[in-house]
Amino acid sequence: MNTKKNYIKRTALPMAILLSAVAVSPLFGEKVYAAVEATQQQGTIKGTVVDSNGEPVIGANVIIEGTTTGTITDIDGVFMINAKPGTKLTISFIGYESVTLPAKANMRVTLSDNSTMLGEVQVVAYGVQKKVSVTGAISSVGSEELLRTPVSSVTNVLGGQMTGLTTVQYSGEPGADAADILVRGKATFNDSSPLIQVDGVERSMTDIDPNEIESVTVLKDASATAVFGIRGANGVILITTKRGKEGKPKISFSTSATVLQPTKMVEQANSYQYATFYNQLMKNDGKDPVFSDAIVEKFRTHSDPIRFPDTRWADYIMKSAALQSQHNMSVSGGTDRVRYFISAGAYTQGGLFNSFSLPYDVSYSYKRFNYRANFDINVTKSTL
């Protein structure tokens, strides 16, 4: 009898819970059904991301467009994401072009190499090399940085642009104001200047128009300069000029005007101050003054400028400012067989010495005209 009662108790409680659930199901049953239906409609999208060679892309980002919901691919390039079929998915990875595709079952996405990023090359010795594979100590600067400051010589722009490069400007004379360049300091006696090559030809970079330059590369260590032998002992500077690219003719014109002023003039004593200080110097040594009080007074009052002048020669013979101008015009373009880049430029720099309205110019000035024509011709399909 007791066994029967225990059986009824064990079965009655589960039955009561079940009947209660059935009784209250109308209150939440619709919500449960809606959630299940939404999950079924959303589904799970599975796909594979590969590169142009068919190799899986590990760690690629897969994001639902317009949201922050996403995932990444595993070691096999496979991803799984909860999304409705047709939902826009954006797949991206460093070094590849991002793509946006509608979601569907068993997707297979192929990412193309980003030519801007992976195709970027670094000029080295007698050729080019992908930046990602460069191991030597190399620094480079592009044409945009070189054109920010209008100067006569490229050497005056490189200072502060690249690590390991030192420039020292000893003169401000127009046409002779190029700076001396040192790569990683002064390494040899006498001449410590680096080897400079323009498009593979050794020459000076002083008179090159910055508008013609595509890039400037500095090779600094032994591994980068090994192919130049002892000539590269003080470093190597490689200048690459602009080349034409396939496409319609592109005409470019630039001009600039600059006002040149001395940075700081030397502060000098006038005649009255010099005479006073000199007399005091003689007194300190126990000697008689050189300039009498009457002469010192004439220096102070400028009453006899012919015999006792007080002329500040720096202000008299020098202008307060001079003008500098730079103009350049270039045309580039070409076809798959012939590409061209033609450039012409003019640079003028006035001097700071006063001409005093003379019929001839006694001031230092500088005028330079540059022209360049680069042609790349593929004579046949097998020649470059």
Side-chain angles (χ1 to χ4, degrees):
M1 186 67 180
N2 292 334
T3 302
K4 185 175 181 180
K5 289 180 179 180
N6 292 335
Y7 173 77
I8 293 174
K9 290 180 180 179
R10 289 195 303 270
T11 57
L13 182 59
M15 288 298 292
I17 295 174
L18 178 61
L19 291 174
S20 299
V22 173
V24 300
S25 63
L27 300 177
F28 65 92
E30 294 181 359
K31 295 183 179 180
V32 173
Y33 175 76
V36 173
E37 184 179 17
T39 303
Q40 291 176 347
Q41 290 180 353
Q42 187 174 16
T44 300
I45 301 299
K46 182 179 180 181
T48 305
V49 180
V50 298
D51 59 15
S52 56
N53 297 323
E55 298 294 331
V57 178
I58 305 172
N61 297 311
V62 182
I63 301 176
I64 299 176
E65 189 178 33
T67 70
T68 57
T69 304
T71 184
I72 62 174
T73 57
D74 60 16
I75 194 172
D76 297 319
V78 177
F79 69 90
M80 298 181 67
I81 189 171
N82 292 328
K84 296 180 181 180
T87 302
K88 296 290 186 179
L89 298 180
T90 300
I91 299 95
S92 62
F93 191 68
I94 298 175
Y96 295 89
E97 297 284 352
S98 300
V99 296
T100 301
L101 300 171
K104 62 181 181 180
N106 298 323
M107 295 179 64
R108 182 177 177 86
V109 182
T110 302
L111 298 181
S112 302
D113 293 344
N114 188 330
S115 58
T116 302
M117 182 177 298
L118 296 183
E120 190 173 0
V121 295
Q122 174 70 63
V123 178
V124 293
Y126 296 99
V128 296
Q129 186 176 342
K130 286 188 177 182
K131 279 193 172 182
V132 295
S133 61
V134 173
T135 57
I138 298 176
S139 297
S140 63
V141 62
S143 59
E144 296 81 5
E145 289 77 9
L146 298 177
L147 296 176
R148 289 177 181 174
T149 305
V151 294
S152 61
S153 176
V154 183
T155 58
N156 297 327
V157 186
L158 297 180
Q161 296 280 359
M162 291 177 284
T163 59
L165 188 72
T166 304
T167 60
V168 182
Q169 183 177 352
Y170 293 100
S171 172
E173 179 186 340
D177 57 352
D180 290 349
I181 299 178
L182 298 175
V183 177
R184 289 188 170 179
K186 193 175 181 67
T188 59
F189 293 106
N190 297 325
D191 186 11
S192 294
S193 59
L195 172 65
I196 299 175
Q197 289 192 348
V198 180
D199 289 335
V201 179
E202 183 177 350
R203 57 160 293 184
S204 172
M205 61 187 295
T206 303
D207 298 329
I208 298 179
D209 189 344
N211 292 277
E212 301 174 355
I213 298 177
E214 180 69 28
S215 66
V216 178
T217 303
V218 179
L219 312 182
K220 295 178 283 188
D221 67 347
S223 63
T225 63
V227 296
F228 297 98
I230 194 173
R231 292 289 290 113
N234 293 309
V236 181
I237 297 179
L238 303 176
I239 298 178
T240 304
T241 58
K242 294 180 180 179
R243 320 293 296 190
K245 298 180 181 179
E246 183 178 349
K248 296 181 180 180
K250 181 180 178 181
I251 301 176
S252 177
F253 176 76
S254 64
T255 183
S256 66
T258 308
V259 177
L260 302 177
Q261 288 183 306
T263 303
K264 182 177 176 60
M265 300 297 292
V266 177
E267 296 292 336
Q268 294 177 313
N270 56 34
S271 298
Y272 171 73
Q273 292 171 334
Y274 179 83
T276 303
F277 296 153
Y278 197 87
N279 283 344
Q280 185 63 44
L281 176 66
M282 300 302 291
K283 289 181 180 180
N284 294 339
D285 292 340
K287 299 178 181 179
D288 296 332
V290 175
F291 303 97
S292 65
D293 293 339
I295 293 176
V296 173
E297 184 65 15
K298 290 180 181 296
F299 280 137
R300 188 184 68 83
T301 61
H302 300 157
S303 58
D304 191 356
I306 301 300
R307 292 192 302 163
F308 306 102
D310 185 15
T311 304
R312 182 176 172 84
W313 292 105
D315 293 339
Y316 183 71
I317 67 175
M318 295 190 68
K319 302 176 184 177
S320 59
L323 294 179
Q324 170 185 294
S325 64
Q326 189 176 54
H327 317 281
N328 180 266
M329 184 174 182
S330 63
V331 181
S332 63
T335 65
D336 58 340
R337 299 287 295 274
V338 179
R339 294 168 299 279
Y340 58 87
F341 172 81
I342 303 173
S343 172
Y347 176 86
T348 63
Q349 185 176 1
L352 288 172
F353 289 112
N354 202 336
S355 298
F356 302 103
S357 301
L358 295 174
Y360 49 88
D361 188 8
V362 298
S363 176
Y364 289 97
S365 61
Y366 180 61
K367 295 182 180 180
R368 185 184 69 207
F369 300 94
N370 296 78
Y371 62 90
R372 176 176 294 276
N374 289 337
F375 292 93
D376 298 292
I377 302 174
N378 297 343
V379 181
T380 66
K381 294 182 179 180
S382 60
T383 58
L384 298 176

